[in-house]
Amino acid sequence: MTHPHLALVGPTASGKSAIALEAARILGDVEIVSVDAMQVYRGMDIGTAKPSPSERAAVPHHLIDIADPWEDWSVVRFRDAAREVVADIEARGRRALLVGGTGLYFRAVVDPLEFPGEDRRIREEIDAEGPTSALYGRLAAADPRAASRIDPANRRRIVRALEVIKVTGRLFSSFGPGLDSYGDPVIPVAIVGTRSDADRLRQRIHDRLIDMRATGLVGEVQALLDQDRPLSRTASQAIGYAEVIEHLEGRLTEDEAFAVAERRTRRFARRQRKWFERDPRVQWLEIENPSDGVASALECWSSCHTSA
RNA sequence: GGCCGGGUAGCUCAGUCGGCAGAGCACGCGCCUGAAAAGCGCGGGGUCACCGGAUCGACGCCGGUCCCGGCCA
């Protein structure tokens, strides 16, 4: 676990997948590990922009299609599965290339974040106990450090902190160094993207939504709804899926659903870009053309290796 | 042509009795350790269609002009 990871992270629709495939072809000994909260779900293919069957045949991909859409998913489930897969790849003498845009999942795999246990029942009890301001007051009294890092209006985080205190008997702020502290400083990572050209990513997002619509996203969502089990809380909030469900249940027109999904994708991409920009290990790649991006990525990875 | 309604932030609109121009969304900046494609905080943006009038003071009242929508002819 002390060796550097190979990784390509960055906003959705920035071209990570194509560059990863090209890099894998060139390097020859790498397998791709998807770092994506929604590609884990079987049956959610079009809207999550999963790699195609032929792409997955050309290079081994992992952590795609490992859960059913009625299962709740979580960062800890992902981290445990990812570490197992990476260890297995390395045991076979190959290298793992982490590719994806789910920032917290990436950090959980690569950095020593410590996730205190959860208890859904206790969480729901706390959530039912009163207004956000009262819960925040309790947290501020019990764990001032944690309270100082959580916004007084952010009910979900406040409830979670109180849950951890109740379940573990320890202060929420006593768990790990937090997101501010980065583990291995020599891990080379690349953010693929469009720092200098936001309009371009915007256009790519627009085109991608049109493409998903043409490829049959509505039908895919209908098939998910036709299953005998309802979509889980986590699966049902996927961008594109949530909006098409609204459409199929009659609350939005199809045009409206795709317009909302596009706006939400733009906001998501911005949040992803911000997340990865904060990570000092991440280096930008411009993607004027795929071969350029691959060359830059390989150069970064090899130079970071030799200096490590 | 007549009558009625409307014109306020990029968009949709609110604006009480005339007293410092507002909300939601968009956009930007930031936070966030078991939902993370989730959750949350902050704020940059205005010739209140235009011209004139009364008033200490007008987005608001009075007169006129232009534009949009509806009904009537």
Side-chain angles (χ1 to χ4, degrees):
Chain A
M1 240 17 202
T2 55
H3 56 274
H5 289 85
L6 301 178
L8 272 169
V9 297
T12 188
S14 62
K16 297 183 297 293
S17 302
I19 291 178
L21 279 171
E22 184 63 15
R25 249 189 297 272
I26 293 171
L27 293 170
D29 65 341
V30 312
E31 300 185 9
I32 290 173
V33 177
S34 163
V35 184
D36 189 296
M38 295 301 166
Q39 288 186 357
V40 299
Y41 284 117
R42 294 181 200 98
M44 295 172 61
D45 301 338
I46 296 171
T48 64
K50 268 180 205 166
S52 69
S54 64
E55 289 167 334
R56 290 158 72 177
V59 178
H61 283 64
H62 301 274
L63 302 187
I64 293 172
D65 293 343
I66 56 172
D68 285 309
W70 52 81
E71 291 178 68
D72 272 333
W73 194 250
S74 76
V75 60
V76 168
R77 281 191 75 176
F78 182 85
R79 181 200 57 190
D80 293 347
R83 290 194 170 162
E84 192 175 318
V85 157
V86 170
D88 176 67
I89 291 169
E90 290 170 352
R92 300 197 316 270
R94 295 168 67 81
R95 287 186 286 171
L97 170 56
L98 306 177
V99 179
T102 303
L104 180 63
Y105 285 14
F106 174 67
R107 296 292 308 276
V109 173
V110 155
D111 291 321
L113 300 184
E114 183 185 5
F115 293 90
E118 72 166 346
D119 186 322
R120 281 287 184 76
R121 195 179 52 80
I122 286 179
R123 184 184 306 177
E124 282 162 20
E125 279 174 21
I126 293 169
D127 196 32
E129 275 171 21
T132 304
S133 57
L135 295 178
Y136 187 74
R138 267 174 53 193
L139 180 63
D143 187 348
R145 267 183 67 207
S148 74
R149 292 204 296 246
I150 298 176
D151 191 277
N154 197 340
R155 185 178 184 88
R156 185 184 293 186
R157 301 256 80 81
I158 294 165
V159 170
R160 168 64 182 156
L162 290 170
E163 171 200 352
V164 167
I165 292 169
K166 187 153 188 176
V167 169
T168 66
R170 288 172 53 190
L171 295 183
F172 183 63
S173 57
S174 72
F175 286 91
L179 289 170
D180 285 339
S181 156
Y182 295 89
D184 185 342
V186 301
I187 295 171
V189 170
I191 185 169
V192 178
T194 52
R195 175 183 46 186
S196 59
D197 192 350
D199 288 343
R200 191 160 143 203
L201 186 60
R202 191 188 183 89
Q203 184 65 46
R204 290 177 66 110
I205 289 170
H206 179 73
D207 294 346
R208 170 177 279 195
L209 265 293
I210 288 175
D211 191 52
M212 286 176 176
R213 189 173 182 174
T215 313
L217 179 57
V218 175
E220 182 173 284
V221 175
Q222 184 62 256
L224 291 167
L225 294 179
D226 289 342
Q227 294 175 135
D228 43 349
R229 306 185 64 172
L231 289 185
S232 70
R233 183 177 56 172
T234 43
S236 62
Q237 61 195 196
I239 294 174
Y241 295 83
E243 292 77 18
V244 171
I245 289 169
E246 294 270 302
H247 161 57
L248 291 173
E249 293 180 349
R251 291 186 294 275
L252 292 178
T253 68
E254 190 174 317
D255 283 347
E256 286 168 342
F258 278 88
V260 172
E262 187 175 331
R263 282 203 302 272
R264 194 144 82 96
T265 305
R266 280 204 301 270
R267 270 202 306 258
F268 173 49
R270 195 161 50 235
R271 206 156 12 101
Q272 289 175 301
R273 178 169 54 81
K274 296 290 188 183
W275 178 282
F276 292 117
E277 277 175 351
R278 289 176 63 184
D279 191 326
R281 301 163 298 190
V282 166
Q283 305 182 22
W284 283 93
L285 297 177
E286 296 300 329
I287 48 167
E288 281 310 313
N289 60 69
S291 55
D292 242 26
V294 175
S296 309
L298 299 182
E299 187 183 323
C300 162
W301 289 334
S302 57
S303 66
C304 293
H305 272 92
T306 52
S307 68

